[in-house]
């Protein structure tokens, strides 16, 4: 397997550090708009860098990406950029005859008249609109293969196949107790993506109603996260799992909620009120004359780079999927989850917890595709595949998942080997 990794930021760099320890691929080309970032990502691998090379690429230039795929003989394109570049990269992979993988899907557009009641263009709609062409050409686009979406979707599939006879609700719940020394406001992930998903209308799925939207930060609830994180208030946020899981997993309801905290919500709301979440350029006077800039890009430029915060960060992050339903005629409720301690990820990989937790999942998926354990054609989400091989590899990579029975306050239990009941 020869892989073209586009994006050498925090997640892209973490992908190289994880992949360098595995033998399933022949070569990985690390490409970025800033060649210095790609070169730094590869240089950090030391003696393990012999299977890596670098390139400069503009992710918005579809033809250049196609040429690079062919020139470097890559059969997989792994997209580690922000969602703005999903469609040109997705289409470039298709035209070049390559497998495509991303961690965030094509962008949504709110309903013009009823944004908090009805869906407009949903996350991933532009990609799923081309699913038939991918299938007819015998090509695979594996979409939403990060941590959330990604691992969370694998958990949903595992629960449906092994833990439940019927599912009432699947709710992805994400929470952390991370702090960053020296900053009052320092998002642990791309602020561009954070603004996009937190300020867009959240989507909910109900079997009798289909997909619909609510207001941002709606339906708050307190969720008790494991491994010392504790109770965190979670709110509805737009996320791909709600658009992916119902396509392959039978459930009456699917939701996604983030544990953001009121201070974080207030700051995001202020950015929205000031128009600083906008992506369309505005004209700004500079000492070199007028310039067209996106307000959201300005916000991203003045905030610290999440990938560089690891040394200042403390605590744990938890990604997981809460499932409620029945097994053998009895009610059951479980939380399948994965926790990463920032101290561990920095010590072992030099990557902060959130970006490392995102990065491990596409690497595992690449290995499963390389081995032929996962295969298919069309535009498919993680839940379209058998979950057990993925979860087994997660344990083999040294970062086991776990499951908690919600009823009866059962103790958390490690899942190596994975639980079957």
């Amino acid at each position: 397997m020869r892989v073209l990794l586009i994006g050498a930021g925090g997640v892209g760099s973490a992908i190289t550090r994880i992949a360098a320890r595995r033998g399933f691929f022949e070569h990985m080309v690390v490409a970025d708009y800033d060649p210095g970032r790609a070169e730094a990502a590869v240089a950090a691998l030391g003696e393990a860098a012999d299977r890596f090379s670098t390139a400069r690429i503009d992710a918005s230039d579809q033809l250049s990406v196609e040429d690079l795929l062919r020139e470097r003989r890559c059969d997989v394109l792994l997209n580690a950029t922000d969602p703005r570049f999903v469609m040109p990269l997705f289409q470039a992979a298709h035209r070049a005859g390559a497998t495509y993988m991303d961690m965030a899907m094509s962008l949504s557009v709110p309903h013009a008249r009823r944004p908090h009641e009805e869906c407009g263009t949903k996350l991933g709609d532009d990609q799923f609109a081309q699913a038939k062409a991918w299938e007819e050409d015998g090509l695979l686009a594996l979409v939403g293969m990060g941590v959330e979406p990604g691992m969370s979707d694998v958990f949903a599939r595992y629960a449906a196949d092994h833990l439940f006879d019927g599912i009432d609700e699947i709710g992805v719940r994400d929470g952390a107790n991370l702090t960053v020394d020296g900053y009052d406001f320092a998002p642990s992930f791309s602020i561009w993506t954070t603004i996009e998903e937190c300020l867009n209308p959240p989507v909910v799925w109900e079997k009798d109603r289909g997909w619909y939207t609510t207001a941002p930060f709606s339906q708050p609830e307190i969720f008790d996260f494991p491994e010392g994180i504790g109770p965190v208030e979670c709110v509805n946020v737009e996320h791909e799992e709600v658009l992916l899981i119902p396509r392959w997993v039978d459930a009456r309801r699917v939701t996604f909620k983030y544990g953001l905290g009121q201070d974080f919500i207030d700051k995001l709301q202020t950015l929205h009120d000031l128009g600083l979440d906008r992506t369309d350029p505005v004209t700004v006077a500079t000492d070199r004359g007028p310039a067209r800039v996106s307000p959201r890009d300005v916000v991203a430029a003045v905030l610290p780079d999440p990938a560089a915060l690891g040394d200042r960060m403390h605590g744990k992050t938890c990604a997981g999927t809460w499932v409620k339903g029945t097994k053998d005629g009895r009610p059951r409720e479980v939380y399948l989850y994965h926790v990463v301690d920032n101290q561990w990820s920095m010590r072992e990989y030099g990557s902060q917890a959130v970006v490392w937790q995102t990065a491990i999942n596409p690497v595992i998926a690449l290995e499963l595709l390389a081995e032929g354990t996962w295969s298919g054609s069309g535009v498919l989400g993680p839940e379209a595949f058998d979950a057990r091989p993925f979860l087994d590899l997660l344990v083999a990579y040294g970062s086991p998942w776990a499951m908690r029975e919600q009823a009866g306050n059962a103790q958390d239990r490690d899942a190596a080997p994975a639980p079957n009941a």
Side-chain angles (χ1 to χ4, degrees):
M1 174 183 281
R2 295 179 63 87
V3 181
L4 173 59
L5 168 65
I6 298 187
V11 173
S13 296
I15 285 171
T16 64
R17 295 169 186 177
I18 298 167
R21 302 187 184 188
R22 308 295 295 186
F24 66 86
F25 67 99
E26 175 189 345
H27 191 81
M28 182 176 289
V29 180
V30 183
D32 197 278
Y33 187 80
D34 178 357
R37 290 209 309 180
E39 290 162 5
V42 172
L45 303 176
E47 295 181 358
D50 60 330
R51 289 185 294 154
F52 294 79
S53 61
T54 65
R56 184 191 180 279
I57 195 68
D58 179 350
S60 68
D61 187 342
Q62 180 181 325
L63 292 178
S64 293
V65 176
E66 292 176 32
D67 290 343
L68 185 59
L69 280 164
R70 297 185 181 105
E71 175 190 330
R72 300 293 183 94
R73 298 181 293 110
C74 293
D75 47 354
V76 179
L77 189 161
L78 174 53
N79 176 4
T81 64
D82 73 54
R84 287 175 292 181
F85 304 109
V86 162
M87 290 311 295
L89 297 180
F90 176 80
Q91 291 165 341
H94 188 196
R95 286 179 57 88
T99 296
Y100 171 84
M101 189 185 304
D102 63 31
M103 291 162 275
M105 297 175 66
S106 59
L107 292 170
S108 64
V109 179
H111 192 279
R113 297 183 306 278
R114 292 167 53 85
H116 298 155
E117 292 84 23
E118 297 181 30
C119 295
T121 300
K122 301 186 299 300
L123 291 169
D125 274 359
D126 292 342
Q127 290 170 284
F128 281 117
Q130 299 183 28
K132 184 177 180 181
W134 281 78
E135 188 171 0
E136 289 175 347
D137 292 337
L139 295 172
L140 171 64
L142 174 48
V143 297
M145 194 60 252
V147 58
E148 294 170 337
M151 183 191 297
S152 51
D153 304 70
V154 172
F155 285 150
R157 174 63 186 266
Y158 182 83
D161 287 350
H162 300 284
L163 304 178
F164 290 86
D165 298 323
I167 296 176
D168 295 322
E169 182 166 355
I170 296 174
V172 179
R173 298 293 184 266
D174 179 293
N177 60 0
L178 295 168
T179 59
V180 181
D181 293 340
Y183 292 98
D184 293 327
F185 185 63
S188 57
F189 202 70
S190 161
I191 186 61
W192 202 100
T193 304
T194 300
I195 289 173
E196 181 73 19
E197 62 192 20
C198 290
L199 292 178
N200 276 350
V203 181
V204 175
W205 158 266
E206 291 182 0
K207 195 168 187 178
D208 296 335
R209 184 175 176 181
W211 286 292
Y212 65 93
T213 57
T214 70
F217 316 123
S218 58
Q219 300 176 354
E221 67 177 45
I222 302 296
F223 192 87
D224 188 10
F225 288 92
E227 297 195 21
I229 296 174
V232 179
E233 184 176 75
C234 298
V235 294
N236 279 328
V237 168
E238 180 190 51
H239 234 249
E240 286 91 341
E241 290 94 323
V242 180
L243 288 311
L244 286 170
I245 290 172
R247 297 175 188 268
W248 288 281
V249 178
D250 186 18
R252 295 179 60 188
R253 178 178 167 88
V254 181
T255 59
F256 179 96
K257 293 188 180 183
Y258 254 151
L260 294 174
Q262 192 59 49
D263 181 66
F264 197 93
I265 290 173
D266 289 344
K267 285 182 168 63
L268 291 177
Q269 188 62 52
T270 298
L271 291 176
H272 176 69
D273 293 342
L274 295 174
L276 294 175
D277 60 328
R278 291 168 53 189
T279 59
D280 49 309
V282 298
T283 301
V284 178
T286 75
D287 57 357
R288 298 186 179 183
R292 297 279 289 170
V293 297
S294 157
R296 192 183 300 184
D297 286 341
V298 174
V299 173
V302 299
L303 287 173
D305 178 2
L309 294 175
D311 291 334
R312 294 171 173 259
M313 190 179 291
H314 309 277
K316 299 177 181 180
T317 184
C318 178
T321 304
W322 161 73
V323 187
K324 181 180 180 181
T326 57
K327 177 67 173 178
D328 299 327
R330 301 176 61 184
R332 190 178 197 186
E333 190 174 340
V334 303
Y335 183 57
L336 301 100
Y337 65 90
H338 182 255
V339 170
V340 177
D341 186 309
N342 187 73
Q343 183 178 4
W344 175 85
S345 64
M346 287 297 297
R347 182 180 66 249
E348 293 294 320
Y349 286 89
S351 298
Q352 57 102 320
V354 177
V355 299
W356 188 90
Q357 189 182 44
T358 303
I360 190 174
N361 302 287
V363 179
I364 291 174
L366 285 174
E367 185 161 344
L368 292 171
L369 292 175
E371 294 174 343
T373 305
W374 279 7
S375 63
S377 61
V379 179
L380 303 178
E383 53 281 278
F385 302 91
D386 184 3
R388 189 185 291 278
F390 182 98
L391 297 176
D392 288 346
L393 263 185
L394 186 62
V395 174
Y397 274 52
S399 187
W401 61 287
M403 186 180 83
R404 178 178 69 190
E405 294 280 356
Q406 296 291 88
N409 296 316
Q411 290 185 341
D412 301 347
R413 51 180 179 174
D414 187 82
N420 293 313

